[in-house]
Amino acid sequence: MCHARRVTSEHATPTESGAAPDLGTLAEVVARQRAELDRLRDLATASAVVEQAKGAVMALTGGTAEDAHETLVRRAKAERRTLLEECRRTLGALTPPPAAAPASPAPGAMPVPPAPDLSGDAALAGLTEALAGAGTPRDLARCLLERLAPGVAADAVLLYAPLPSGGLELVGHAGLGDAAAARWREVPPLSGTPALDALRTGEPRWLDCPGHDDGPDPLGAGPRGRRRSRAWLPVPTGLCLGVRRRDGAPFPPDAREHLRAVARLCAGWLTTPGPRRPPAGDGAAEAVRRVFGALPGAAVLLTPVRAPSGEVRDLRIEAATAQASLFTDGRATDPVGRRLLECVPAACAGPVLRACLRTLAAGEPSEGEPFPLRGPTDGAAEPVTHRLRVAPLDDALVLSWIREDPSDRQEQRLADVQRLGNLGWANWDLVTDEATWSAQVFAIFGRDPAHGPVPLTGLPGLALPDDAPALTRAVGELTGEGRPCDVPFRARTPGGIRHLRIVAEAATDGRGTPVEVHGFVQDVTARRRAELALLESERAMLTQHDVLLAERTLAARLQDALLPLPRGPVRPAGLRVEVAYLPAQAGVQVGGDWFSAIELPDGDALFVVGDVAGHGVDAVATMAQLRFTAKGMVVTGSSLTGALARLNTLLLHSRGAHGTASMVLARYSAARRRLVWAQAGHLPPLLLRDGTARFLDRPKGILLGASTAPVYEEAECLMEPGDRLILYTDGLVERPPEGIDRGLDRLAEAAAAHQAGEAGTLEPLLASLLPPAELRDDVCVLDIRVPDAPAHRP
């Protein structure tokens, strides 16, 4: 039997083993050591003085650093001074006391050599003092140029460091332009390069002979192509020092000896630790390590390891907590003093280093991207995700990380699924009447978690009255018979009425009695609203379909009533006439274009082609009015021009008239084969005779409805047997944006390509002229053919 505890909310609590240290507290603890650090900075400065003094002794004697240190210690004992006092005296920082007789050495002891007198080489002594203030290799180069310019006539100083590839990297320069320095930032490992030769042999290279031109050399070029005198001297610590003179004169012997001493003095500067970090193993570092050792969680203190150019190439671990196993690969190795990239696994080296560099650049805390790390779990390798946080602390970094527990990730994923699906799980114990809801269920119902979950039997009380009976019935079947339920219902919440859905099933005991119910509640308001909107759209579509069907039926009836299309050619006055009508609007069989081809009571034939501007019902109504009125006027004896004038007046003054219209009226007399025609702003008919196509000259005539005082004239054309006359509306020839003349030429060429004697040539003509896409405008065409022999009328 399962029992559920009553809860009102969910909280994710990290395990103690995965808790990260509070960086704010850590910073406060470490800050308390600053006083100790300040005290020890003086010791670091004193250490720097000692190292500078060692460099001075190396420069004067040519010995090693160990020999220089022993010399200073023996001299301090002999003069009964402290080592620091002796170093200051050696550097000339203190006024030396009057010379005194040296103390006699103890029996058996080695004699102490006298202290070197630096007053004889004031330039070297001054340089020794100046080097103490140089913080970077570039500062060192500037200091050297300033001190070497007067005595050696130097105008440029370069410092190169060896690269793993065998070449050299420029780490400091003075007297050389930035453009030239950028060009010579790296020197390839080519044979004959003076700087490389000096490092390989350990001997200086003096390039001060006239016309001397050895290998690639950044100091070689001078004004107007002249080669300057220069020297490349190896520094015992691995650098190469380059010095160039202002002219091409050779280096005198005393200058050469002086430069050798300067190179040895630079070795002493390079062995001096920087003033920004106390020496390893001092009391302050030990205090910081003790602080970190007492902190909970996983964290380390890092200091940057910089190249001679100042670029951060790695980080050194100065202190670590006991839980910092990430940097020991699970072994009991102390990571303090080791480099970061040699400790961390390759899988997390990239994210850790990027986060540290970002914090160093911005000076603000930053979060690193999560990274997986495989660790031993019950003998099997299982990937574990870690999260990083880096915070600055003076010139150091505090790096901490936390291991994400798989169960925490599962809970977070479950919470994300509930949030994204807008659903929450619920559990009801039917034995103890206890209930458990997820936080999302409380959010769905808008219920305060402090009030606790609602019992299963009380769930129908949250539904609207219309939906409560169905929900009550479903809950009864679930608790009584164990029947699963999937019921939609509506509930009133603080956010309004919501459409909800409950899906639940029962767990039974051995006798089949339900003892527990578990399931989920989902908010389907958005989906329900979409369904209702879709249903409303479907209803509107059905209504629109009925309207369109009715309009189609009406259009078909209008087609038959207003513009009946003949099923084949008609033969008024002995002529053969084919008719084509193509409406622009799909599904609508009548528009603003119309035609008439009838035989008048006196035996003549009347042909009409017209086009009302626009589309729609108004255009159709105007078309019908003009069509029937024009036929009536001509049938009752009106002339063509008179009919056009009266139609213009009708269009101007009729309330239901629509815009303007164009029209062609043509009357054909069979006895004389005489065609008389007039037009109102319409395109000219096309006449085809003996295989040649030409357009008839238009008589005067303006659009109907465009002027209150129009002038219309008639034109005459005598037809011959075999002639073909085409009347048309502008939809046949217009193709925006091209001009109308191009369309007329296209029509004449296509009509001439079809033989006039062929039957049914109108359809292929239209196919060759009209594009396959939907028409832009209505098209109406009358193809009138005069028979080869005169027609005989009974």
Side-chain angles (χ1 to χ4, degrees), residues 136-139 141 158-162 169-173 185 239-240 307-310 313:
T136 65
R138 184 142 187 192
D139 296 337
L158 300 185
L159 286 170
Y160 274 100
E169 178 186 15
L170 182 64
V171 295
H173 65 89
R185 184 176 182 273
L239 294 184
C240 188
S309 61
R313 291 187 173 177

Side-chain angles (χ1 to χ4, degrees), residues 540-609:
M541 291 174 61
L542 291 175
T543 302
Q544 185 67 19
H545 178 269
D546 295 341
V547 172
L548 292 176
L549 184 60
E551 290 181 352
R552 187 181 296 273
T553 303
L554 177 60
R557 293 180 180 177
L558 282 174
Q559 174 71 37
D560 293 335
L562 301 179
L563 194 64
L565 295 177
R567 297 183 181 276
V570 295
R571 300 182 181 276
L575 301 173
R576 186 179 186 277
V577 182
E578 288 187 56
V579 179
Y581 178 77
L582 303 174
Q585 297 181 359
V588 179
Q589 298 301 318
V590 65
D593 291 15
W594 83 93
F595 68 91
S596 290
I598 64 174
E599 186 171 319
L600 297 174
D602 59 1
D604 290 350
L606 174 66
F607 303 106
V608 183
V609 172

Side-chain angles (χ1 to χ4, degrees), residues 7-10 414 418 423-427 436-443:
V7 297
T8 59
S9 61
E10 295 177 321
L414 178 59
Q418 295 184 73
L423 57 85
W425 58 265
N427 190 83
T436 305
W437 283 4
S438 69
Q440 192 65 26
V441 177
F442 286 99

Side-chain angles (χ1 to χ4, degrees), residues 436-600:
T436 305
W437 283 4
S438 69
Q440 192 65 26
V441 177
F442 286 99
I444 290 174
F445 282 105
R447 184 178 177 85
D448 188 351
H451 298 157
V454 174
L456 184 60
T457 54
L459 199 60
L462 301 178
L464 295 183
D466 292 343
D467 298 339
L471 187 56
T472 301
R473 184 168 55 255
V475 170
E477 294 173 352
L478 179 64
T479 57
E481 306 172 17
R483 184 180 301 177
C485 72
D486 186 346
V487 182
F489 64 98
R490 292 168 298 169
R492 191 180 303 276
T493 69
I497 295 178
R498 314 295 295 177
H499 293 265
L500 308 180
R501 172 192 178 205
I502 180 171
V503 179
E505 63 181 4
T508 60
D509 59 11
R511 295 174 296 178
T513 303
V515 294
E516 185 180 7
V517 171
H518 53 265
F520 67 86
V521 178
Q522 184 178 18
D523 186 347
V524 294
T525 303
R527 186 175 69 182
R528 181 58 179 162
R529 289 174 178 170
E531 291 174 351
L532 293 176
L534 180 61
L535 181 60
E536 188 64 27
S537 298
E538 291 178 352
R539 291 175 181 172
M541 291 174 61
L542 291 175
T543 302
Q544 185 67 19
H545 178 269
D546 295 341
V547 172
L548 292 176
L549 184 60
E551 290 181 352
R552 187 181 296 273
T553 303
L554 177 60
R557 293 180 180 177
L558 282 174
Q559 174 71 37
D560 293 335
L562 301 179
L563 194 64
L565 295 177
R567 297 183 181 276
V570 295
R571 300 182 181 276
L575 301 173
R576 186 179 186 277
V577 182
E578 288 187 56
V579 179
Y581 178 77
L582 303 174
Q585 297 181 359
V588 179
Q589 298 301 318
V590 65
D593 291 15
W594 83 93
F595 68 91
S596 290
I598 64 174
E599 186 171 319
L600 297 174

Side-chain angles (χ1 to χ4, degrees), residues 162-197:
L163 291 172
S165 61
L168 297 175
E169 178 186 15
L170 182 64
V171 295
H173 65 89
L176 192 68
D178 290 338
R183 187 166 61 252
W184 290 96
R185 184 176 182 273
E186 288 190 10
V187 176
L190 301 176
S191 61
T193 302
L196 282 172
D197 291 346

